[in-house]
Amino acid sequence: MTMQPAGGALLSETRPPKRSGEPAADDRFLRLSEREEGEGPARLYPLASPTWPSKALRGLLGLLAPARSACGLCGRGFAPSRTSLAGLPEELPRSWSDSVCGSCRSSIPWILRIQCQVCGRPDSCGDCCRRTSAGFIRSRSAVRYTLEMRQLLARYKYRGEEALQPWLADMLLPAYAALAAELRLADRLTGRLSDRLDPDARKGKEPFDLVTSVPVSRQRLAERGFNQAERLAASLAVRAGLTARPLLERKEERGKMSAKTRRERLIAAEGLFEAAPEAAGILRLLAARDPERRRPLRLLVVDDIYTTGGTMDHCALALQRCSPVPIDLYGLTWARA
Amino acid sequence: MKATLYLYLDADKGWLASATLDAEVDRLWRLDAEWAAEAAKEAGASPPRPAEAMLVCGAPLPLGAAYEAAASWNRHGPVPAGAACREQLLRASRPAAPGGAAPLRLPEAAEALRRLARAALAPDGPERPSGEPPVTAAMPRHGSGGAAAALARAACAAARALRGRALLRGEAQARLAAAGAGSDAALQLAALLGRLRLGGAVAAGRCQRCGSGEAQLLRTACGACGSSRCASCQACLALGRSRECGLLVLGMPAQAGRGGAGLAPPEQLPPAAERLRRWGLSPAQSAAAASALAFLERPLQPPPALGLRPRLAALMRAALPSAGLLRLPPLHRGAAAAAGRLFRRTRRHKPAEPHPSFLLWAVTGAGKTEMIFPLLESVLSRGGRALVATPRRDVVLELEPRLRRAFPDTPPVTLYGGSPQREEDGRLTLATTHQLLRFRESFDLIVLDELDAFPFAGDAMLHEAAARSGAAGSRTVLLTATPPPSLQRLARLGRLPHAKVPVRYHRHPLPVPRLLRTPSALGMAAAGRMPSSLRQAMARSLDRGAQLFVFVPAIRSAEPVARLIRKLFSDRGEVAATHSQDPERADKVVRFRQKQLRVLVTTTILERGVTIPVSDVFILDADSRIFDEASLVQSAGRAGRSAADPQGFVWFAAASPSASQKRAIRQIRLMNRAARKAGYLLSGSASSRRFHSTF
């Protein structure tokens, strides 16, 4: 056992002694923010600083190593040049595959083949047969809602890791592209002859006129700070060259949907959504912009999860009710439960 | 969240700005002298001087912007007519309004407030939000005195409950709900009384809770405050979102002793030797605890000049045994001091001054926890507040019952993610280092256990949180078996008071690791066999009835190695593999403890905190970069921990003897040598079974 005498340097009093009497708090709060630029953070003990030979050596080695970046989803470092692109949907932008590491990529259960043409479920579907009235025509989803995806979405939605948002929004693109391709094909088959021959039409104007999103209640918005569906819709619109506008309002909060059974959800969703006051005007303007159009207006409703389809259905019905012009509604969600 | 911005006219200082959660409380406090006097009397404070007039901005602003605008007004005076946005507002470094000039008249002040609010609302550029913010003059209303006392009581209760804390609005409300003081009005009155500080959780480009700078801030459109660039901190998300429009409540520093008298002087306590006896420590433990106790109870010295000379002197003191005689002549002293100043100015980062710290460097299995008991006792019996913090939750859960047994009168409040004791308050706190973000100037003693473990070691945010949780004049005791090189160096230079405990509590030497040359773990697993040296070593350990820790550097080698061992020693009991991603990890560790598992293949997650009475350690791929010196020493420390079997075997199996392996062995040998020299080893064990490396 050795006991060194205190060198003294560490025994320094860091703060002025406590003032007695009337406490004054005003100068404490800004102490942090007024930290000078070069000054390091407070520490219990000094930071280890590498000595110069090892620093130089590390710098040299860094030149030889492949470029590394932090994964946008999990934050761990990885070398983008070393991971393969196999198995990824090809509509994903290059920036996405450059910033998501291999293990995160392999954990994503993409929906590449669907079974139910209505709701886009990758396995056989009982819900769509049970439904009596459907407000929307088709819905598609990007990924299956597995445990990993649930955790990923929870990090964004509940924990508020908004840095995840661009990467989640990119993941919508393959599903969107598939839906758009289906519609373009349908347009070509049913369109007028001149349309069918027109090369511009074949290459494809985007088949949707507007992107909108499932709303959250005012209270939830204040608490969370953002509406995940609206953010996804806005990002998708930018990437696909469309316009996004919120058209719906959620009347009140009746508990989180994720804590309910199928029946409870369907009941809870009844009358929950209402068109925003300006929605009818926006739709009328949109319809008037292109009088040549033969088909109804096409709207894409974006949400984060599709579970029973109740939310999507009621949003679609609310829009149908308010619309002064005929509209067709399609759905796109990030995950399919 | 939003806050209201207002101006009030002070008789001496002219117009001052302020932001509030509840404008009604401010109106009563500033204008209604009767109400203010009653509230102040109830709180035991002096009543404020009534304001002569008050102008309230009718449109609430994003909280951060409102507080920032008020601060800017009070520092720089009214916004010039040209400044249209917040950036300009902050950049304009105008001197405060000259004291002699007459204050603005009411309509001018109203226009100035409108301009201030407009500038705060449009942070990005000259574009203006539609509509003028309405400004109204608040009028005193008399005869509302009844509620003053009740609100003041709630405010005092809130201030008491939030002492030494730094909480977001939701956390503060949860904490105050029990006291019935969670309303914004109570918080606001407490702030007016000067017993709390309210502000944006992100302000001035920095997270006010965790101290992260601009690099960790993400600015997004915010549905809560309506700003298009509301910053939120991504570094401390794990403890709830800290954002620009979110409220951060800072309590006053926690006060030690009855009525805030401070720590009682140590002279009141019985002599240190007597107090130490009660804990039944071994000679090495009690010698180290005694010097830590002396450090703890020594009065603080005035800050020395941090120049070159004290460093040189410290270096010489460390180098020369007769250092007390060494003095530099005065001329040289002046030159050295000048050089020291120069040196300090040219350094790029000026580190914030460290807390007074003491390093307790105790080998694995030395009984660190028992050594901190006398330290905690010293602070607690003097009326202070003590904290035991550690990076790992498992360590917290393991320490909890031991602290509870040792201090039945002040049971520890145990804090970790999801802890049920979150709202409780006590003088002894046991927490993970993340929880320290919620404390500010709160503890008189901080014991930091396993400080070199993940995630604390490399996380500047947690270092800052720990440093700021200490009250004025607090002491820190750093506790580890493997101090990082920077700390070792400071200790060597004499700049960090420290004590070494080179021997385990059972007074046998540490098992010295032996080197084995083997192929890589995955290679052996793929080939389905081991070199005979490794196989024989394992067989010998199994024959003597030991349980085996087999450490591997990566998750992907854990299961293959387990399969290999299962195949080669099929009749010797169960083999399992675990790692950080393993859902059954806790269960497997329990089964290993209960001896249902014979061999546990694991990554470095089990290198600390697990004690198995009769166990041997095999580290495969010991030349991997994952296994640095500290990691190897910690892993080797799993062997020979019980008095019944004090000398387990430790094997480093690797393709080559790396520098870390050699350093780890050297460190263990040095500790054994120090123990022998100090006479701590039991007489019989000193020379028994000393191992030599095969290289």
Side-chain angles (χ1 to χ4, degrees), chain A residues 10 28 32 35 41 224-225 231, chain B residues 206 221 223 241 251 468 495:
Chain A
L10 283 152
R28 294 195 322 123
L32 241 186
R35 197 156 76 191
R224 198 176 286 166
R231 292 284 168 87
Chain B
R206 204 169 268 291
R241 231 160 22 139
R468 287 188 300 166
R495 289 185 51 206

Side-chain angles (χ1 to χ4, degrees), chain A residues 23-73:
Chain A
D26 274 10
D27 52 335
R28 294 195 322 123
F29 202 71
L30 285 170
R31 189 185 298 149
L32 241 186
S33 51
E34 284 179 349
R35 197 156 76 191
E36 283 164 40
E37 250 338 281
E39 201 177 339
R43 292 179 67 93
L44 285 180
Y45 55 86
L47 183 71
S49 56
T51 45
W52 75 266
S54 74
K55 221 192 270 178
L57 198 66
R58 212 170 293 166
L60 281 175
L61 281 175
L63 289 179
L64 297 174
R68 293 181 75 79
S69 59
C71 170
L73 297 186

Side-chain angles (χ1 to χ4, degrees), chain A residues 1-18 22-49 55 76 159-163 221-226 231, chain B residues 193-194 197 204 206 208 211 218 220-224 234 237-238 241 250-252 254 291 295 300-301 303-304 317 349-350 352-357 441 448 451 463-464 466-468 470-473 476 478 486-487 490 494-496 498-500 680:
Chain A
M1 214 279 317
T2 57
M3 164 67 196
Q4 292 279 354
L10 283 152
L11 282 181
S12 52
E13 170 65 278
T14 53
R15 297 196 184 89
K18 247 185 252 179
E22 182 72 9
D26 274 10
D27 52 335
R28 294 195 322 123
F29 202 71
L30 285 170
R31 189 185 298 149
L32 241 186
S33 51
E34 284 179 349
R35 197 156 76 191
E36 283 164 40
E37 250 338 281
E39 201 177 339
R43 292 179 67 93
L44 285 180
Y45 55 86
L47 183 71
S49 56
K55 221 192 270 178
R76 277 190 278 268
R159 203 174 135 176
E161 274 185 60
E162 288 185 78
L221 185 66
E223 160 191 315
R224 198 176 286 166
F226 60 93
R231 292 284 168 87
Chain B
L193 284 163
R197 182 79 175 97
R206 204 169 268 291
Q208 297 293 322
L218 186 69
T220 53
C222 173
Q234 302 291 299
L237 269 178
R241 231 160 22 139
L250 289 186
M252 295 305 293
S291 54
F295 159 82
L300 285 171
Q301 290 161 5
R317 259 206 306 276
H349 291 295
K350 189 175 87 193
E353 286 199 24
H355 282 237
S357 325
E441 303 193 38
L448 196 55
L451 62 105
H463 276 273
E464 177 147 0
R468 287 188 300 166
T476 305
L478 309 169
S486 63
L487 277 189
L490 282 178
R495 289 185 51 206
L496 178 63
H498 67 279
K500 274 184 200 162
Y680 289 137

Side-chain angles (χ1 to χ4, degrees), chain B residues 104-129:
Chain B
L104 298 173
R105 281 174 305 141
L106 208 60
E108 292 163 1
E111 182 50 39
L113 175 59
R114 213 168 282 137
R115 227 170 23 232
L116 184 67
R118 252 194 333 253
L121 269 175
D124 312 327
E127 72 179 284
R128 299 196 169 177

Side-chain angles (χ1 to χ4, degrees), chain A residues 131-138 212-215 247-249 251 265-276 279-280 283 299-301 306 308-331:
Chain A
R131 203 191 321 277
T132 47
S133 69
F136 62 93
I137 297 173
R138 279 175 195 177
T212 187
S213 50
V214 174
L247 294 179
L248 291 160
E249 281 174 0
K251 276 209 241 137
R265 279 175 206 231
L266 290 178
I267 294 168
E270 197 85 44
L272 191 55
F273 299 100
E274 216 171 51
L283 293 175
L299 265 62
L300 185 65
V301 183
Y306 184 108
T308 57
T311 303
M312 186 66 78
D313 201 27
H314 284 98
C315 285
L317 289 173
L319 282 173
Q320 295 280 19
R321 273 200 301 274
C322 89
S323 175
V325 291
I327 51 174
D328 281 353
L329 284 151
Y330 293 82

Side-chain angles (χ1 to χ4, degrees), chain A residues 102-125:
Chain A
S103 68
C104 285
R105 279 184 213 176
S106 60
S107 75
I108 297 176
W110 299 102
I111 297 179
L112 299 174
R113 194 162 296 157
I114 54 175
Q115 287 258 341
C116 176
Q117 290 297 322
V118 179
C119 68
R121 199 168 178 168
D123 25 51
S124 70
C125 163

